[in-house]
Amino acid sequence: MKITLLPYGDPGAAKPFAALASALQAGGYEAGVAVPVGSDPYPAHSGTGRTLMTRRVWTLPRLKKGGLEKEGAGDGYGNLPEVCADSNLIIADLRVIESALAVSDELNSKLIAVALTPPCPVSRGAAVVSDALKKLSFLFGAVGKREAGYVWPLTCKAVQDKLILRNIPVLHAYSACFLQRPGEWGGAAGRIVTGEWTTVAGTSDFICSSKSCEDTGQWLDEGEVPLYFGFRGLPLQAQAHCIGTALDAARESSSRSVIEADWEALGRLGRELPGYALPVEEADYDRLFPRCRSVVHRGSAAAAHASLRAGIPALVCPASAEEGLWGRLTVTTGAGSCIPINKVTQKKLTQALKVLEHKRVKNKAAELGIGLRQENGIETAISFIDRYLSWTQYRKF
C-alpha cells in the first residue's frame, strides 16, 4: 500500500514527516516523503535522527488571483500528480493542504491533514482583532469557529471550512501538554492529538559536535550541570551578539554553558571563549538536554518538546512568528518564559535565568516531562492510519 507524505518546504517541518515515513516503511507500507524543489527533509541532527528516505521531488504551486493556477493536467501544482500517482493515501501538512486537496480529487486518493502546531492563546486585544478579521479568509491566523482568545496558526478559515465540510481527519503531531483544551476543528478527527513525531531518543552515540573538546561527554561530566544556549540559524552578527550576551549572563550566574552556534559566528565574537563555555555546532537535544540545568532556545518545535521531555525549564527567544508561538505555549504550560530575540539584554537574560531556577517552574517542567515521555506519537499516528485505511473501505470517515 503506497503512502505519500507532503511536508511544508522548510527543513524543520519535514523532519516529523521523515520520522513517520520511516516507521511506516518498517510497518510494511510503501512510504516516501515528497518535498518542494530546493528543500532538504534530512537536515543536521537535532533530536529526530538522520533517517534517509526515498525522496520524491515536487514543485510548489503557483498562485494567481483566482486561486490555484491550473493550465493543464497538473501544471498548476508541478509534478504532484505524478509524485502521488497510485498512492492509496496522501498525508499533507496544513500549509500545503490546498495542493493536496486538488491532487487527492484528481487521483481519487484518501487524504489526512497534519497540524504541527496547536491552537495558541493570545492577548485580549489580539483576540478581538482576529475575531473581527475572521471573515477575511486570506489572513493567516484567523479565529474562524474557535473561541475568542485562541487562534489556529498557519492556516486560514477557508481551509478549515473545506476540511470540516469534507470530514477530512486531522492528526495533531505535537504533545498534548501544549494543548490547553480539546480541538473542535475538523469534527471528531480534529481531536486526534498523537504526540510529537520523532525517532526513538537516545539510540545514537551522537550528543553534539565540538571543535574545542574531543570528548563532549567528558566535558559534561567534569563540572556542574551546564546551561544550554542555542542561537544557530540566526544571522551571523546577531549570533555573535547573542553569544556575547549569553556568556556574560552565564558568568554572572557562575554557570557553565553549552553554546550551539555556527562556527563563523563564533569567529565574529571578537574574543576567546572562556573555559566555562563549550561551543557546539549541532546537538542531539534528546541526549544533551537531560544533562543540562535549563535551556535557552529560539523556539523550534523540536527544542520545545525536547526540553519538556527532559523535564527542565526553558527560556524561548523567538526570532519569527512561529517561534514566538512556541514561546507563548511554553509560558502557558508554566515550564518556562519567553523574551523576543531582539529584546534580549544581559540584564533581562540574567533575570529570566533566575526565574527558571524557581522551584515552581522546575516542578512544573518535571511534571510535564513525565507525561510527555509516556507519549508515542509515531505509534499513535500509525495506529490511526491503519484503522482509517480499513474504515474507508466500508464507509466515509
Side-chain angles (χ1 to χ4, degrees), residues 227 229 243-257 271 274 276-277 346 349-350 353:
L227 302 171
F229 298 93
I243 293 169
T245 304
L247 290 174
D248 294 337
R251 183 187 67 249
E252 187 169 336
S253 61
S254 302
S255 303
R256 299 200 309 159
S257 58
R271 56 169 160 160
Y276 60 81
Q346 179 185 345
L349 187 57
T350 302
L353 290 175

Side-chain angles (χ1 to χ4, degrees), residues 12 14 83 85 92 113 184 187 261 280 290 315-316 337 371:
V83 168
E184 309 122 8
V280 301
L315 169 64
V316 183
S337 55

